[in-house]
Amino acid sequence: MRCFIVGADTQAAARLGSVAADLGFTVSTLAAMDALRIDKQFLATPRALVLVADSSLAFEAADFAVQAAGQAFVVLVADTVVPEAYKALVRSGSGEWIQWGSCEVELAEVALGFSAPAHSDGGARVVSFLPSKGGVGNTTLVIEAAVHLSNRLANPRRGGARVAVLDLNLQGGTLADCLDVEPRFDIAEIVGRPERLDEQLIEVFTSRYANRLDIFASPMRASGAEEVGPGLIFTFIDAISARYDAILLDLPETWLAWTDTLIQGSDAVVVTGTTTVPALRRLSLRLAHVADLGVPEGKRAVAVNQVCTDLFGRFKRRPEIERVLDGHRLFFVRRDGSALEDASDSGRPLLESAPDSRVGRDIRRLATWIEGLVAGSAAAAKGGEADARETDPRKARGRQGIAA
Ligand SMILES: Nc1ncnc2c1ncn2[C@@H]1O[C@H](COP(=O)(O)OP(=O)(O)OP(=O)(O)O)[C@@H](O)[C@H]1O
Ligand SMILES: [Mg+2]
């Protein structure tokens, strides 16, 4: 793994150099972006991390992220950044801005994209999203996490990782509508005839959202879906497993014959919920059940969604929520109806339509934790944990750092 640090401030460059070296990168330092463009070592590196340690280079960093997309991931490390440069960086899909105060933790996350392939045993990692009740945003979070993973996971074997979302709301979920794709996963069609499930039928069931992201979304069905038994679901997951690095399951609210086994077989489980008193109660019950099923603590997380915020963007009732859900890894996601509505009206995920929004950042923290587990990187999972603990202060700092 190679890292190139750009900046004229030798102290700042040295600090980043030491963080990058601790993360396992081989580090080179250059004074200016132009020097990097013609640097022989950089040109010979198929995938490089570029750390820009100078806020005056923000626009140059964003331009570079666009030009070198695919080869370089560019991180601007600065306490403030002009909004236009920040947006250009994030929208390049190959850049991010982080602040000095949190650079160790955030660079550990970034390092994930440069780690080894997701895994080499051939099968996909399975992540279950389990709603504690209806309408808590389960589908929304599955989609956003899938988009994040498909952009971030590395798999040199395939030139990038492939991710699938499997909508198990078999009577018809909302997932296909959110992404404006045709729902084609009509598994009820082969109830009693699992032998029909061949490569060709899998293709028929697939809705391609993006190069690396496929959707298996259930069409509306008046009847038949309730007959789909556990055997068929597991056969299907097995059949598609070799095609993907990660499969994210959008589980229904109602408990079905196969729910427990799917959860036990998952590599990670995210229980989703909201913050009213009855909703928190439901969330606690679901979490207790998941723990009873033997899912280890390190593989469980809670997405507390649609959390109200105050004028400063801090989560309201946070201490109370943390007390009720004590002992669980929590990710707070703020309520932002307009950002989510815009995303769903445009048929595009929020991480594409408004990646730099605050709610986008909240969701990215959850997605990064999942990425850590899927990529099997302990360091990244640790970074995600630290993130989960200090979501609030970091976000407050993040926005304050954007210069007016
Ligand atoms: N953080 C958020 N802030 C505001 N609105 C949100 C947030 N998350 C999700 N929503 C909205 O809540 C609604 C329900 O979301 P979604 O369909 O993802 O929930 P669900 O749990 O999958 O629901 P269902 O039980 O119908 O499957 C959608 O309109 C979505 O845009
Ligand atoms: Mg749903």
Side-chain angles (χ1 to χ4, degrees):
M1 301 198 296
R2 284 216 72 118
C3 167
F4 297 82
I5 297 171
V6 182
D9 179 342
T10 48
Q11 251 185 334
R15 176 171 170 195
L16 285 185
S18 126
V19 175
D22 284 350
L23 291 169
F25 287 93
T26 308
V27 179
S28 311
T29 305
L30 300 109
M33 296 302 296
D34 280 345
L36 181 62
R37 283 194 177 86
I38 52 166
D39 185 83
K40 277 200 185 118
Q41 277 175 335
F42 174 71
L43 294 173
T45 305
R47 183 124 176 85
L49 175 64
V50 175
L51 302 180
V52 181
D54 182 345
S55 60
S56 70
L57 297 178
F59 283 104
E60 276 192 69
D63 286 348
F64 191 83
V66 174
Q67 287 156 13
Q71 188 200 351
F73 190 81
V74 181
V75 179
L76 174 69
V77 187
D79 284 330
T80 60
V81 63
V82 283
E84 290 74 20
Y86 172 61
K87 282 182 190 159
L89 251 187
V90 173
R91 289 194 176 145
S92 71
S94 298
E96 184 55 284
W97 160 55
I98 63 181
Q99 291 179 305
W100 283 104
S102 53
C103 75
E104 280 85 359
V105 169
E106 298 210 39
L107 283 176
E109 288 171 13
V110 170
L112 262 176
F114 293 82
S115 52
H119 51 280
S120 51
D121 57 11
R125 295 286 183 255
V126 176
V127 183
S128 285
F129 281 69
L130 177 67
S132 54
K133 65 188 203 64
V136 296
N138 203 61
T139 299
T140 305
L141 296 174
V142 172
I143 291 172
E144 301 296 339
V147 167
H148 175 93
L149 289 183
S150 66
N151 287 331
R152 287 289 304 270
L153 278 179
N155 187 340
R157 261 187 310 128
R158 302 198 242 240
R162 299 200 63 215
V163 176
V165 177
L166 180 51
D167 175 7
L168 290 172
N169 295 271
L170 297 179
Q171 270 157 340
T174 52
L175 204 141
D177 282 342
C178 293
L179 291 175
D180 203 16
V181 296
E182 186 194 344
R184 303 174 65 184
F185 176 53
D186 198 1
I187 197 166
E189 219 181 68
I190 55 165
V191 167
R193 291 170 296 162
E195 68 286 353
R196 278 197 55 210
L197 191 62
D198 56 12
E199 291 293 307
Q200 205 181 344
L201 191 60
I202 293 174
E203 279 299 320
V204 171
F205 282 163
T206 309
S207 311
R208 196 134 290 152
Y209 174 72
N211 207 7
R212 300 192 199 156
L213 177 55
D214 287 345
I215 308 294
F216 296 92
S218 308
M220 278 298 180
R221 241 183 181 276
S223 64
E226 64 282 357
E227 288 160 24
V228 176
L232 194 49
I233 297 286
F234 299 135
T235 304
F236 184 76
I237 294 176
D238 275 351
I240 64 169
S241 180
R243 295 176 166 221
Y244 300 101
D245 296 274
I247 300 174
L248 272 50
L249 307 181
D250 181 2
L251 291 171
E253 182 209 350
T254 38
W255 216 267
L256 294 161
W258 30 265
T259 313
D260 280 356
T261 319
L262 271 184
I263 287 172
Q264 284 170 322
S266 297
D267 296 286
V269 180
V270 178
V271 185
T272 58
T274 53
T275 62
T276 61
V277 170
L280 286 172
R281 204 167 293 139
R282 292 284 290 271
L283 198 44
S284 300
L285 288 173
R286 276 282 201 264
L287 284 164
H289 184 77
V290 171
D292 285 348
L293 289 175
V295 178
E297 205 183 318
K299 295 189 171 183
R300 300 181 240 136
V302 189
V304 189
N305 191 22
Q306 303 179 12
V307 186
C308 293
T309 48
D310 66 16
L311 272 179
F312 300 102
R314 290 174 303 217
F315 296 112
K316 285 187 183 168
R317 297 176 51 231
R318 185 182 174 116
E320 180 195 337
I321 297 165
E322 284 177 337
R323 202 169 45 247
V324 174
L325 301 174
D326 187 29
H328 298 284
R329 181 178 289 101
L330 305 183
F331 292 91
F332 286 74
V333 179
R334 72 198 55 226
R335 178 188 291 275
D336 185 342
S338 75
L340 266 304
E341 255 172 50
D342 287 351
S344 104
D345 285 346
S346 65
R348 290 174 65 209
L350 181 85
L351 291 186
E352 283 177 8
S353 64
D356 41 339
S357 59
R358 283 182 146 193
V359 62
R361 280 194 85 119
D362 295 344
I363 293 172
R364 269 214 295 278
R365 292 181 206 295
L366 167 67
T368 301
W369 176 77
I370 296 170
E371 185 187 341
L373 286 184
V374 171
S377 157
K382 236 169 111 194
E385 272 173 37
D387 248 7
R389 278 197 305 273
E390 52 175 28
T391 304
D392 217 2
R394 277 185 56 207
K395 246 185 308 298
R397 273 203 309 276
R399 281 294 140 164
Q400 281 157 13
I402 295 187

